[in-house]
Each structure stands twice: as structure tokens, then as C-alpha cells.
Amino acid sequence: MSGRLFHSGRIAIVMVGLPARGKTHIAVSLARYLGWLGVKTRIFHLGDYRRATVGQGGHVPEDYFYPNASPASVVLRQKILKKCREDIYGWLNHENGQVAIYDAVNPTASGRRSLAKEFAKHDVQTLFLESYVDDENLLRENARNVKIGSPDFANMDPDEAAKLYLERMETKIPMFETMNERELNYIKMINAGQTFFYNNLSFNYLSHRIVFYLTNTHIKSRATFFVRPGTATEEDSYKADAPLSEEGLKYASVMTETVIKHREQARASRIASGGSDIPLRPLTVWCSTRMRTLQTADNFKERGYKVRQRSQMAEINPGVCERLSERAIRRLYPEEVEKHELDPYHHRYPRAESYHDLAVRLEPIILELEREQNDLLIIAHESVLRVLYAYLMHCSTMDIPNLKFPRNEIIEVIPSAYQNEAKRIHIPGLDPKTVPGSPEDIRIPVPDSGADTPAPLPGGGLTAPATPSIIVEKPPEKVVNTAAEAVRDKIADED
């Protein structure tokens, strides 16, 4: 796969906006979506080049962002910009890249015009994307959630720290011109997507997909919970739309109580640590149209929560593998098993779906998920949870078939400082028989050692812990996200 969409050409998406406007959050989300479409995309954070140039512990001059900066500051600025742009061209020209996202303030109209001309000389189309925020409450929330993780604001009241940060940025970047260049291609996203303004977007299919995605996204923080449905009376059948078993009904009740209790405890903890005393966001529940997911969601519906059915969220179709044991599949379809071992994400068994097929089916759900502003609970089969979790956490496609969601855990994904973070929430008091992975899922091929589930992911993926021998109530446990660690140093960025 080339990583380029035919006829779409090469595109530079140039971010525009002051700090704490959500630029990097938007850039990371957009890169994740384009990667999901199979488009080879990379983000070039100008802050990375600034840090590399000034060295560890170094600082840029106070007048670095000033239009009338000193000659030394101008030279430093040009040196940093030159290196960043050289890397962009090198990646587009020699690594078959298609979309380069240039993440920086880009504060002046003259600078943006110059940038568009320079990209045009290299046969690269330019799309500017400005995040414009004039809502003071939203500004403070963004600064509080993202920027005040810097040591400069340690032990300060969050609201005071956010106010101080914004004042500091006004001093450091005294001149900013919002986009109004009629000859340029640009999108202006106003107040986290409340309003959009488009100018001169006259090129290709891919740019329109980008616009469509952006109109379905926002920069407001909200949590997404992933959970399995309860066990059904015919658990090993794909075709039978069986109701919940007695154990499945008990599971649904305990899981509902756990989700509600966790949200209330998280709010109490936030207030106790100095956060704002604001009400919980509403919780919306999504499930497939299968009987087991509908019945699992009934407890929420009875408590007044909004439950929405999504037909696209049906589990992966196992085709001829339904009800067959691993041994039988290996005996009947040895060539298919060999192909599956080479590429478990794209391979499909006869009359079955691959994980790639499932991902394509779930694309409308992805866009709805990005648009949702309430907290969201998704009740779905393990195969569906794998694909949706992998999208939000930017997992490799090769990892998707191995992600595990045991029934005694709820996974909470929270948008955070440029990358999403995840936590496991233990569901106490379940019968151990309800915990293992779904038998109706395609969980083969497996190692010849006789284990009945795929090996854990290397490097600490989302894997299933051993089932506890006694009932314990555990605190939420953070899931390691290496993608988040890769951008941790951008928290205090001013670029």
C-alpha cells in the first residue's frame, strides 16, 4: 500500500492559532483519522525543532515571537524554520508521504502567504487550519486541562494558573492576525467547532474528507467507556440473536452500578484536589442492535440515560469458522490459517469479515464518536471494541486482533494533553466464568502451545490480567500509552 490516495497529490496542512487554542489536539486527531483512512500522514511540531536547536535547558529569547525581534532572534527563528521545512520536504519527496501537518502559531498574514508560495514551489498544496477561540471560559478550560502541567504552575490554583498562562502568552506573542487572506485555502474553526468558515477550498477529494472530519470533531474533553455485553444463552453462536443468560443479567446490573459509581467518585476526587465543582457531563449509551447488547443497556435506560442503537456495531462475522474449534479450523483450512498468521488484520476467512472490513463498516461510528460531546459508554462485542479502542489510542493495525477486553473491566479513554489516555476500571464480584474473551470471536490462530487466547502485546498493550481468586474492589489502573509519552514534552509549548 503506497499510503497515498490516487489523484489527491501532496498536501501541507498548516496550523494557525495562539497557544491553548487546541491546535496540537486537532492536529493529532486529524493525523489519527487520516492514518485510519490509509493516508500516510506525519505531524511536524515546530516546538520539537526549537528544543533541538536551543538544546536541553536552553531558552529562546524573550523577543523570539516579536515582529521587530532582534537580529539574533530572527536568525535563530529562521534556522529553526529552515530545518523543520527541510524535514517536511524530505519526508514528502523521499518517504512517500502525502499529508504533512505543520504545527506552529503562524501568527502573521505575510508569513502565511510566504509559506504558501514556498510550498507551491515544491508542488505541495497548502491548506491552512486556524483554531480561533474568543470564548473566555473555553480558553481557561483549555489552558487548565493542557498547559498548566508545566512546573511553572505547580501547587497553584488551576483557575489562577490558567489566567497567568494566558497573560504570559499575550506578552510573549504580542501580534497575531486571524486568517482573512482571500487567496489562500483555509478553514477557520471557531470556539471548538461552534462555527466554521471555509475559504477557497477548491482542490481534491482528500481536502473535502478533511473538512468533513473537522466538522464532526471538537476540542472539548469528555470520557469514552468501553464495556462488553453480558453472556448470552447461546454464547457460541454468531447467527443466533440470543438473550442474556441469568449470569449475563447479573453482570449487566453490577456493571451499571460500577460505571455510575466510578463517575461520581471521579467528580468527587476532582473537587477534592481543587478542581471546579461542576456537574457531571450527561452520559450517552451506544450499543448494537443485538439482543445481548440491548439487554445489557436496559439498566441504563431504566435509570433515564439515553440509549442509542447502532447497527454498524455488530460483531465481526466469523463466516465458516462459526462454532468450529481451533483444531478443526487448522485441519479444514490450513492455507487460510497460514494467511491469517501473516496478516491477521487484513485476512478474512471464507464468507467472513476481516478486521479491516470491520473498520470500514465502523467509519460512520468513528465520525459520530468524534462529534459526541457527552460522556459515552459503548457496549459492544470484543471485536468492535478492539477497532474503536485502537482508533482512539492510535494502535497499530497489527495489534488490533490481540487487544483483550475481559468482562470484569471497563476501559475508560480520556482525551488528554495531545494524546488520549486510558484506564481500567475493575468490575467487582463477577463469576469467573463470565470474564474470559468471547468464544464466538475469531481467536485463532493461537500459539501451538495450547493456549486459547493470543499472546499479550509486547511493550504493555491492553491485555487481560489473571482472574482474581477472591473478590476485590480495585482502584482504576492507568493503561500505558507510548504515543502519549512521545508528546508529553509539548505541554508547555508556546509554538
Side-chain angles (χ1 to χ4, degrees):
M1 189 171 179
S2 70
R4 286 187 179 172
L5 292 184
F6 189 55
H7 289 326
S8 285
R10 301 179 304 171
I11 299 175
I13 298 176
V14 179
M15 304 304 298
V16 177
L18 291 165
R21 268 66 177 178
K23 294 191 308 301
T24 302
H25 176 87
I26 294 167
V28 169
S29 297
L30 183 57
R32 188 174 66 230
Y33 175 68
L34 292 173
W36 174 269
L37 293 179
V39 179
K40 193 168 183 180
T41 306
R42 181 173 165 185
I43 304 173
F44 295 83
H45 300 283
L46 189 61
D48 291 344
Y49 292 87
R50 173 177 52 78
R51 280 185 292 273
T53 302
V54 302
Q56 188 172 6
H59 299 281
V60 296
E62 283 296 320
D63 65 348
Y64 179 78
F65 290 102
Y66 289 15
N68 57 345
S70 65
S73 292
V74 171
V75 169
L76 176 62
R77 194 162 60 200
Q78 292 302 320
K79 180 180 179 181
I80 293 169
L81 291 172
K82 183 172 182 285
K83 175 58 179 169
C84 181
R85 291 172 193 175
E86 284 175 351
D87 284 358
I88 291 174
Y89 300 137
W91 181 75
L92 290 170
N93 293 330
H94 305 301
E95 298 184 41
N96 208 35
Q98 182 162 20
V99 176
I101 302 178
Y102 176 41
D103 183 20
V105 173
N106 294 304
T108 64
S110 60
R112 295 189 291 260
R113 289 189 177 101
S114 175
L115 191 57
K117 289 178 183 177
E118 183 182 338
F119 279 126
K121 290 178 183 177
H122 290 81
D123 195 27
V124 177
Q125 300 167 92
T126 308
L127 172 62
F128 291 90
L129 173 54
E130 179 181 357
S131 180
Y132 179 85
V133 180
D134 60 7
D135 182 325
E136 292 298 324
N137 291 330
L138 186 57
L139 268 178
R140 282 195 296 272
E141 182 183 352
N142 288 347
R144 189 168 54 238
N145 290 341
V146 177
K147 296 296 185 180
I148 62 173
S150 166
D152 292 352
F153 306 106
N155 302 318
M156 285 185 66
D157 174 77
D159 290 321
E160 286 299 317
K163 182 180 178 182
L164 178 60
Y165 174 82
L166 293 171
E167 289 173 353
R168 183 181 295 181
M169 290 305 101
E170 286 181 11
T171 303
K172 284 200 169 187
I173 310 175
M175 181 178 178
F176 180 82
E177 299 170 344
T178 188
M179 290 213 67
N180 195 30
E181 300 92 299
R182 295 187 177 276
E183 74 277 18
L184 299 181
N185 299 297
Y186 70 83
I187 304 167
K188 186 183 290 189
M189 188 175 180
I190 302 171
N191 290 331
Q194 289 179 7
T195 309
F196 284 86
F197 181 79
Y198 313 102
N199 185 69
N200 205 28
L201 291 176
S202 57
F203 57 89
N204 75 47
Y205 163 81
L206 185 54
S207 66
H208 293 296
R209 288 302 293 264
I210 291 168
V211 171
F212 184 60
Y213 172 78
L214 290 172
T215 56
N216 284 278
T217 191
H218 57 84
I219 60 174
K220 295 180 179 177
S221 180
R222 54 116 175 101
T224 303
F225 300 91
F226 293 114
V227 70
R228 297 263 304 282
T231 52
T233 53
E234 292 187 64
E235 183 73 358
D236 61 346
S237 174
Y238 167 78
K239 294 175 183 175
D241 191 10
L244 290 180
S245 64
E246 185 177 343
E247 283 299 326
L249 291 169
K250 291 178 182 176
Y251 162 85
S253 177
V254 175
M255 181 272 292
T256 302
E257 294 290 345
T258 303
V259 170
I260 294 171
K261 182 179 178 182
H262 169 76
R263 296 180 77 233
E264 291 171 347
Q265 288 178 339
R267 176 176 178 268
S269 176
R270 183 179 68 244
I271 294 171
S273 61
S276 300
D277 184 2
I278 55 176
L280 282 171
R281 278 183 296 272
L283 177 69
T284 299
V285 180
W286 290 1
C287 63
S288 75
T289 54
R290 304 281 285 184
M291 183 70 72
R292 71 185 71 181
T293 63
L294 289 170
Q295 291 186 341
T296 304
D298 277 347
N299 283 278
F300 289 97
K301 192 172 184 179
E302 290 167 2
R303 292 168 181 255
Y305 292 93
K306 187 175 182 180
V307 176
R308 301 175 67 183
Q309 300 177 32
R310 292 287 176 268
S311 60
Q312 299 97 326
M313 283 170 41
E315 62 258 43
I316 196 168
N317 186 340
V320 298
C321 295
E322 184 180 8
R323 293 180 181 269
L324 292 180
S325 67
E326 178 214 339
R327 181 176 295 179
I329 294 170
R330 289 189 180 277
R331 186 183 73 251
L332 294 171
Y333 306 104
E335 292 182 359
E336 296 295 333
V337 169
E338 187 176 343
K339 292 176 185 176
H340 189 85
E341 288 175 336
L342 291 173
D343 189 355
Y345 178 76
H346 290 97
H347 173 262
R348 66 173 71 90
Y349 285 90
R351 296 195 292 279
E353 284 183 299
S354 68
Y355 272 96
H356 177 71
D357 296 330
L358 178 59
V360 171
R361 165 152 62 88
L362 288 170
E363 187 183 357
I365 299 297
I366 292 295
L367 293 172
E368 283 200 64
L369 192 155
E370 290 287 2
R371 187 166 58 240
E372 183 63 60
Q373 296 194 23
N374 292 343
D375 282 355
L376 181 63
L377 172 67
I378 295 178
I379 303 173
H381 182 267
E382 196 168 20
S383 58
V384 174
L385 299 185
R386 285 171 182 150
V387 174
L388 295 178
Y389 175 90
Y391 168 76
L392 288 177
M393 299 298 287
H394 215 169
C395 299
S396 162
T397 55
M398 294 304 290
D399 290 343
I400 290 176
N402 291 337
L403 296 173
K404 300 179 186 177
F405 293 82
R407 278 198 176 91
N408 66 341
E409 288 182 353
I410 301 159
I411 302 300
E412 179 183 13
V413 177
I414 307 168
S416 177
Y418 311 132
Q419 273 291 0
N420 297 336
E421 294 181 351
K423 289 191 291 189
R424 309 171 190 266
I425 303 161
H426 180 67
I427 304 175
L430 296 182
D431 186 323
K433 295 194 295 293
T434 70
V435 172
S438 306
E440 76 273 19
D441 189 20
I442 301 176
R443 292 184 289 121
I444 58 100
V446 298
D448 290 323
S449 62
D452 67 351
T453 57
L457 295 179
L462 188 68
T463 56
T467 303
S469 56
I470 58 173
I471 296 172
V472 291
E473 190 160 348
K474 304 176 184 176
E477 173 192 350
K478 184 179 177 181
V479 177
V480 174
N481 180 14
T482 54
E485 297 305 319
V487 294
R488 187 72 61 201
D489 57 357
K490 297 170 182 57
I491 288 176
D493 258 3
E494 297 143 14
D495 297 279

